Amino acid sequence: EAGVTQFPSHSVIEKGQTVTLRCDPISGHDNLYWYRRVMGKEIKFLLHFVKESKQDESGMPNNRFLAERTGGTYSTLKVQPAELEDSGVYFCASSQIRRGQGNSDTQYFGPGTRLTVL
Amino acid sequence: GESVGLHLPTLSVQEGDNSIINCAYSNSASDYFIWYKQESGKGPQFIIDIRSNMDKRQGQRVTVLLNKTVKHLSLQIAATQPGDSAVYFCAENIGDSSASKIIFGSGTRLSIRP
């Protein structure tokens, strides 16, 4: 079974440009999460999709970030316009929904996209 | 607020020795913890988890201990091998299966001396 995949693995852009990151979750996983780690900081939650719906987007830093999951399969995270402080590693994770078992969804992470904004 | 934190940013152990990585958390209501391993160029990989109704859980060469009285958990790796070199994160999974998120600690980099 393929794991979570992310594209691209690296992206270098200039300040003010737009970048779109893609995540393909494990097949059959309805939960999809985005996290990021900026320089020197912990990995931070950005948002959570259940199928195509945004369940929790409390971690999104500002309105320059737009996440979509049309059709409930892969997801994209667009940064427009990118700023220097957006540099970091963006991780995607997915999990199955397990009803009746509380917070028991094991999240499987992709390799991340390293974003560098110059 | 939500907070998990590791005691040491780095840890160096001799190959074959046991490794112990410690972590503290602040919320006494926390009930689900996970340890992740992150190797260079990869995403966090699930190692083992533990719920608050347990104080110990064992996996293959790994053991997680949870002390709710002092809000502390630890990851023990037996007979540490070169492949164990990585950054280890303790994390808390908050919410439920319909709306959960992971709160990560800062990570401990484990290095192995030959």
Side-chain angles (χ1 to χ4, degrees), chain B residues 4-83:
Chain B
V4 286
L6 286 158
H7 289 180
L8 293 174
T10 61
L11 178 66
S12 178
V13 300
Q14 191 77 32
E15 182 177 350
D17 287 352
N18 296 336
S19 301
I20 299 177
I21 303 172
N22 295 302
C23 180
Y25 62 95
S26 60
N27 186 355
S28 57
S30 300
D31 67 354
Y32 183 37
F33 300 94
I34 309 165
W35 281 96
Y36 283 92
K37 171 186 181 183
Q38 186 179 13
E39 298 174 276
S40 180
K42 298 182 179 179
Q45 176 187 2
F46 173 92
I47 302 174
I48 191 168
D49 59 2
I50 189 167
R51 297 195 177 279
S52 60
N53 60 352
M54 304 173 70
D55 53 21
K56 179 179 180 179
R57 192 160 188 225
Q58 288 185 291
Q60 186 177 11
R61 282 202 307 119
V62 295
T63 301
V64 56
L65 300 177
L66 176 62
N67 185 328
K68 295 179 287 293
T69 301
V70 295
K71 291 183 282 189
H72 177 275
L73 68 160
S74 66
L75 177 71
Q76 300 179 6
I77 305 172
T80 309
Q81 303 170 358

Side-chain angles (χ1 to χ4, degrees), chain A residues 25-117:
Chain A
I26 293 172
S27 178
H29 283 192
D30 288 333
N31 286 319
L32 187 148
Y33 305 83
W34 284 98
Y35 294 81
R36 75 171 181 177
R37 185 177 192 183
V38 296
M39 185 65 70
K41 301 286 183 65
E42 296 87 359
I43 300 172
K44 295 284 192 182
F45 168 85
L46 295 179
L47 89 160
H48 170 206
F49 284 98
V50 177
K51 297 184 181 179
E52 68 276 7
S53 299
K54 292 177 184 175
Q55 190 73 23
D56 179 358
E57 51 184 329
S58 61
M60 294 288 265
N62 52 61
N63 60 9
R64 295 185 294 102
F65 290 76
L66 175 64
E68 295 180 320
R69 194 184 181 195
T70 306
T73 54
Y74 72 91
S75 174
T76 58
L77 178 64
K78 180 190 289 187
V79 186
Q80 179 182 30
E83 298 290 344
L84 299 178
E85 63 265 25
D86 300 331
S87 295
V89 183
Y90 290 75
F91 294 105
C92 176
S94 71
S95 71
Q96 291 179 319
I97 292 178
R98 297 185 182 184
R99 304 205 181 280
Q101 294 186 28
N103 53 355
S104 60
D105 65 324
T106 299
Q107 296 186 23
Y108 297 90
F109 282 76
T113 293
R114 179 173 295 279
L115 174 64
T116 302
V117 183

Side-chain angles (χ1 to χ4, degrees), chain A residues 11-19 79 81-84 115-118:
Chain A
S11 180
V12 181
I13 61 172
E14 293 187 351
K15 176 183 173 181
Q17 290 185 321
T18 298
V19 62
V79 186
E83 298 290 344
L84 299 178
L115 174 64
T116 302
V117 183
L118 303 175

